[in-house]
Amino acid sequence: KAEMSGNDSISQEGNGKVSRVIRMGTRKSQLARIQTDSVAGRLRELYPDVHLEIVAMSTIGDKILDTALSKIGEKSLFTKELENALERNEVDIVVHSLKDLPTSLPPGFTIGAILQRENPHDAVVLHPKNAGLTLDSLPEKSVIGTSSLRRAAQLKKRFPQLEFENIRGNLNTRLKKLDEKDDYAAIILAAAGLKRMGWESRISQILGPEDCMYAVGQGALAVEVRAQDKDILEMVSVLHHPDTVLQCISERAFLRQLEGGCSVPVAVHTEVKGSMLYLTGAVYSLDGADCLKDTMQTVVEIDNKVSESAQECVHVGVTANSVSSSALEAAEKLGMDLANALLNKGAKDILTTARKLNDAR
Ligand code: DPM
């Protein structure tokens, strides 16, 4: 019979085995719970002796549902309270959507695992009355709900006959707003979130890179831990999906070098083909009229030369000692090189103007 010891996170199994109790922190939204449960499921399979507990909390981001995400500040909105709990040792592991994690984490934290990416693209969810239509065939001046500057910028350019308006709230709230009111003809959401919620059947169109490139890290789950907690870091590191890690490190390095946050129109597309990593990145003005876009590639060694040094290697907040260190370095350099190429063509001006206009709205 399992029995909790009084003082700390050790559980006596009664059979001589001593296993640690590991606490996973999560936001209370249904998507966050589903994401945390899926990582908990993987960990339970891999470590049947570990006792996992899930601790749910609400964050400021969950409480302010009526303001556009791009106006209430940086990404840490959803993550800060969970990090506070990590810092106070109230939890040991926090699962996030990678795209909600800033490219520089506060000191003391690291991403200990990036799991295999789901479909990273954005998807169109139609009001039931528009069933069968697409962004191309919707009536002129149809209103599309999204509060992502990135989605709005690309889609305004590509579909000038449509109109775009903010929509906020968690996925449940948004689908309800779409279905039960007549405000929106369709909304745009990440395919990955819809799939995890079991709402794949609501996807009427997946947007390819020619229509809308995705956000940095979109579709991948990240496991955040205390950087000093070697046991937990080692435990979660087996969850790393090497190709996803390389793609997301290049994307995050691109965004960091541009000094973009979640409130600027920046989009990416990455692919691993054999030993090549391809990164396409773009920055947009708010209306999509100005766009700088480029593609670069690098060789990523798929060898087993992992970092042997005792010194931990961290790339854009990610600790991935189980992945080839030369490949990680190449991926990070790719993102920085692509950002520098766009900065040389004037990306800074586009982003500064977009940020100012958005703040003034
Ligand atoms: C970030 C953005 C959005 C989320 C901005 C963007 C969408 C905001 C909006 C950084 N975080 O994508 O350009 O539509 O108003 C978010 C979702 C997921 C993680 C939901 C979604 C699930 C998909 C995933 C919100 N964060 O984008 O539809 O795990 O990548």
Side-chain angles (χ1 to χ4, degrees), residues 1-264:
K1 216 174 30 179
E3 193 179 287
M4 295 270 290
S5 71
N7 55 346
D8 67 356
S9 51
I10 298 291
S11 116
Q12 306 283 347
E13 301 276 324
N15 54 4
K17 272 192 206 154
V18 174
S19 76
R20 188 170 166 184
V21 175
I22 301 205
R23 294 189 178 83
M24 300 179 71
T26 178
R27 290 165 51 201
K28 282 182 178 166
S29 80
Q30 194 185 347
L31 179 63
R33 292 300 299 260
I34 288 171
Q35 295 183 162
T36 303
D37 286 346
S38 83
V39 174
R42 291 281 309 277
L43 288 172
R44 286 190 179 113
E45 268 170 40
L46 290 161
Y47 305 99
D49 292 336
V50 166
H51 185 90
L52 284 178
E53 269 176 28
I54 294 179
V55 182
M57 40 198 132
S58 44
T59 67
I60 307 171
D62 299 309
K63 289 169 201 156
I64 318 176
L65 293 179
D66 48 355
T67 313
L69 183 66
S70 60
K71 303 218 65 164
I72 30 183
E74 288 306 313
K75 296 188 187 187
S76 51
L77 197 70
F78 291 108
T79 56
K80 195 170 164 88
E81 278 144 293
L82 294 166
E83 279 167 351
N84 289 343
L86 260 184
E87 191 162 38
R88 292 191 298 257
N89 289 311
E90 289 165 13
V91 300
D92 308 295
I93 291 178
V94 178
V95 177
H96 304 276
S97 286
L98 180 60
K99 84 163 169 172
D100 293 328
L101 281 181
T103 54
S104 306
L105 299 182
F109 304 106
T110 190
I111 296 169
I114 298 180
L115 284 79
Q116 180 163 20
R117 197 172 218 174
E118 267 288 350
N119 184 336
H121 297 100
D122 290 319
V124 179
V125 180
L126 291 169
H127 190 286
K129 73 174 183 213
N130 293 320
L133 298 181
T134 65
L135 291 186
D136 270 313
S137 59
L138 276 170
E140 255 183 56
K141 301 212 184 306
S142 289
V143 174
I144 311 300
T146 177
S147 34
S148 155
L149 301 181
R150 171 187 62 81
R151 290 170 181 149
Q154 295 180 82
L155 296 174
K156 277 176 186 170
K157 181 79 202 292
R158 174 74 183 73
F159 303 97
Q161 75 282 13
L162 301 176
E163 295 189 349
F164 294 86
E165 276 177 25
N166 276 327
I167 180 165
R168 275 279 293 145
N170 60 37
L171 290 188
N172 306 62
T173 317
R174 289 186 197 201
L175 276 204
K176 227 175 139 148
K177 282 185 186 167
L178 173 69
D179 290 349
E180 293 177 6
K181 295 187 184 178
D182 224 1
D183 297 351
Y184 307 99
I187 59 177
I188 314 292
L189 293 169
L194 289 163
K195 189 166 176 203
R196 290 187 197 120
M197 295 287 276
W199 294 334
E200 236 184 332
S201 61
R202 290 299 308 266
I203 298 178
S204 63
Q205 189 180 355
I206 294 274
L207 299 172
E210 43 329 308
D211 288 333
C212 189
M213 295 205 298
Y214 43 81
V216 165
Q218 184 161 313
L221 295 184
V223 177
E224 189 181 19
V225 300
R226 290 178 292 274
Q228 298 310 318
D229 199 336
K230 301 299 168 214
D231 292 350
I232 300 275
L233 251 177
E234 193 182 314
M235 175 180 174
V236 301
S237 69
V238 298
L239 299 172
H240 269 309
H241 182 260
D243 280 1
T244 306
V245 170
L246 294 173
Q247 289 175 287
C248 292
I249 283 182
S250 73
E251 295 171 14
R252 286 171 61 80
F254 174 69
L255 184 62
R256 184 187 58 190
Q257 191 74 2
L258 288 173
E259 296 174 59
C262 70
S263 32
V264 288

Side-chain angles (χ1 to χ4, degrees), residues 250 253-259 279 281 283 292 294 296 332-348 351:
S250 73
F254 174 69
L255 184 62
R256 184 187 58 190
Q257 191 74 2
L258 288 173
E259 296 174 59
L279 168 66
V283 305
L292 286 172
D294 216 336
M296 285 185 169
E332 183 170 4
K333 183 170 182 299
L334 176 64
M336 292 172 69
D337 287 349
L338 186 68
N340 287 333
L342 297 188
L343 287 167
N344 281 333
K345 293 183 195 164
K348 183 107 264 171
L351 290 179

